[in-house]
Every structure is written in C-alpha cells, then in structure tokens.
Amino acid sequence: MDGLGRKGSYVMYHYVKDKDYLKCTYSICSDIVNQLVQHLKKYGIESKMSLVGSGGRNMVTQNEKEAIDFDFNLEIIDLKNFSFYDGRQLKETVRKAFNEVLKRNGWGDCQDSTSALTTEQRVLKKGNKTPFSIDVCIIWIDSFGRVNRLIHKKMGITWMDQYYWNETRNAQKIWEREYYIKDNDCWSEVRRVYLEKKNRYLTRNDYDKKSFVCFIEAVNEVYYRIQK
C-alpha cells in the first residue's frame, strides 16, 4: 500500500481514541505474545516481551480507517541450542513457535517481513470493527546495552537470504530520556513529533520504520530540544 487516497493525496495517521477498543484488543494481543514467550522455552529460548512505541504509551495510531497494529519487542535473553549469531535458525524457530501459538488461538500463520513477524488481521466480535494485528520484532540487548533488531533481508532466493543484527541507534538511554521529558512537562511534544514522523515515513513509502524506531526518534528529538 502506498498511502495514497482516491484522488492521489496522502491519507494521514491519527491517534485512536476509543479506549474500550484499545483495552480489549491489547488484552488479546498481549496474551498471545505472552503465550509465545512461554512456548519458546520448549525450544530452549529464554525471552521476554514488551509493548513498544505507541501501544505502550497510549499512542496507538491509525491510517485513515485502516487496521491498527500492536508492536511488541521479543527480547532474546538466552539461547540453549544455538548461537545468537545464527539469525536464520533463530528467526525460523520463533516463527514456527509463533505459528503454533497462533493456531492454538484460532489465528492463521504469521508472515515473515524484514524486521518483524506479522499476524493476520482480526476484528472484535462486538463493538468497534476496526481490524487489528500483531507485529513481533526480535531484539537482543548486547553486553554494551545496545538494542539490536534481527533483520531478514530477502534476496529473492531463500538460501541466499541474509540474517543480521542491526543496532537501533540512540536506544540505550531512551527510557531515561522519556522520564526526563515527562518531568519537564513536554510529553505532548513527543506525541506531536511521533505522529509527524509516522506521516513523514508514510509519504516516503518507508514501511521499515516500525513504531519503536519512530518513537525513539521522537523522544531523542524532543530531549535534545529541551537540552538546548
């Protein structure tokens, strides 16, 4: 999807305001990802999950009337059966485990994108019928405290695909900066900048900029403004 409306103008992201809908859909999605964390232990993978970016801070966005997605980080803590550097086996193992959990909950298989595992879209049985889905990004925090995302670069031929860890820049002190901004009563500015960045990347057709990345960029930008 290129983000264009019927007359060629770009539709834009806005914040979702239906709190009951958000509470219900988040409960469903977080339960499934928590099941994934528990199920991965059977494969020798210790992990923990967190809702990141917009979803974790009541900043869920929607593009016009399209589906919304909840972005989760699956942080890999320990691997018993293979190395952190075997990205292919790690991604495939998590994908397999995720599909098993999804099937158990009546969902279809997930799709493997460049930087996330994405589920099918679902709708609530009652109330708001806006579709929703789950994005799971695999991350690893190294010994230096750097946040790295597992990337799957598709080359057109499966055996040539590349798997590697990509450092998320300026993510190390993001939580400290978040608290600093809130202490200075500037959180509304983070919300404004975050939405601005989401729409900017939309107009550029840059769909690899997940919510977590946009959130980090927004926090850092506002933090440096306050510092100045």
Side-chain angles (χ1 to χ4, degrees):
M1 185 171 296
D2 60 6
L4 290 173
R6 294 178 181 176
K7 296 183 179 180
S9 60
Y10 279 90
V11 295
M12 306 295 276
Y13 281 107
H14 61 272
Y15 285 117
V16 179
K17 298 179 180 179
D18 188 337
K19 293 183 179 180
D20 290 335
Y21 166 79
L22 291 175
K23 181 179 180 180
C24 187
T25 50
Y26 166 69
S27 177
I28 293 170
C29 296
S30 62
D31 178 59
I32 288 177
V33 181
N34 271 314
Q35 289 180 48
L36 171 62
V37 169
Q38 298 304 315
H39 191 52
L40 283 171
K41 293 178 181 179
K42 297 181 180 180
Y43 290 90
I45 299 176
E46 291 291 331
S47 62
K48 65 180 182 180
M49 75 86 171
S50 60
L51 183 65
V52 296
S54 60
R57 292 157 186 84
N58 193 26
M59 293 164 62
V60 176
T61 58
Q62 182 183 20
N63 184 1
E64 195 67 6
K65 295 182 179 180
E66 294 178 5
I68 68 168
D69 59 270
F70 288 91
D71 293 276
F72 291 86
N73 273 349
L74 181 74
E75 180 186 342
I76 306 301
I77 299 172
D78 187 40
L79 298 173
K80 292 181 171 58
N81 299 324
F82 47 91
S83 167
F84 273 93
Y85 297 101
D86 191 346
R88 182 186 294 271
Q89 185 172 0
L90 175 57
K91 188 73 176 285
E92 284 302 300
T93 302
V94 173
R95 184 177 66 84
K96 178 182 178 182
F98 197 18
N99 282 338
E100 290 169 350
V101 169
L102 290 169
K103 182 178 181 180
R104 193 165 64 203
N105 286 272
W107 291 44
D109 286 350
C110 64
Q111 297 297 315
D112 181 5
S113 65
T114 302
S115 59
L117 293 171
T118 302
T119 69
E120 66 180 0
Q121 295 178 1
R122 307 283 289 191
V123 295
L124 297 177
K125 293 181 179 179
K126 296 181 180 180
N128 193 325
K129 295 301 180 182
T130 300
F132 62 95
S133 62
I134 305 171
D135 274 359
V136 174
C137 180
I138 302 172
I139 69 168
W140 168 42
I141 300 178
D142 62 28
S143 58
F144 296 99
R146 295 174 301 201
V147 179
N148 302 274
R149 293 191 301 160
L150 182 58
I151 301 298
H152 175 191
K153 185 177 180 181
K154 299 181 180 182
M155 308 302 292
I157 304 176
T158 303
W159 66 269
M160 292 182 64
D161 286 359
Q162 299 175 13
Y163 296 79
Y164 58 89
W165 294 102
N166 182 55
E167 181 183 348
T168 302
R169 298 182 60 188
N170 297 321
Q172 288 177 264
K173 298 184 177 180
I174 197 66
W175 317 128
E176 295 176 15
R177 292 174 179 176
E178 180 180 345
Y179 296 138
Y180 180 83
I181 292 169
K182 289 179 178 178
D183 286 342
N184 283 271
D185 296 324
C186 292
W187 194 249
S188 60
E189 184 65 6
V190 172
R191 288 175 58 87
R192 185 191 67 79
V193 174
Y194 174 76
L195 198 63
E196 180 182 276
K197 288 184 177 292
K198 292 275 287 187
N199 285 317
R200 183 185 307 160
Y201 290 128
L202 175 68
T203 59
R204 295 176 181 173
N205 296 326
D206 189 346
Y207 301 113
D208 192 43
K209 296 292 185 181
K210 294 295 182 181
S211 294
F212 184 48
V213 175
C214 293
F215 176 73
I216 289 173
E217 291 181 356
V219 168
N220 284 321
E221 183 174 320
V222 175
Y223 174 80
Y224 288 125
R225 286 182 191 173
I226 298 174
Q227 289 289 297
K228 290 180 179 179

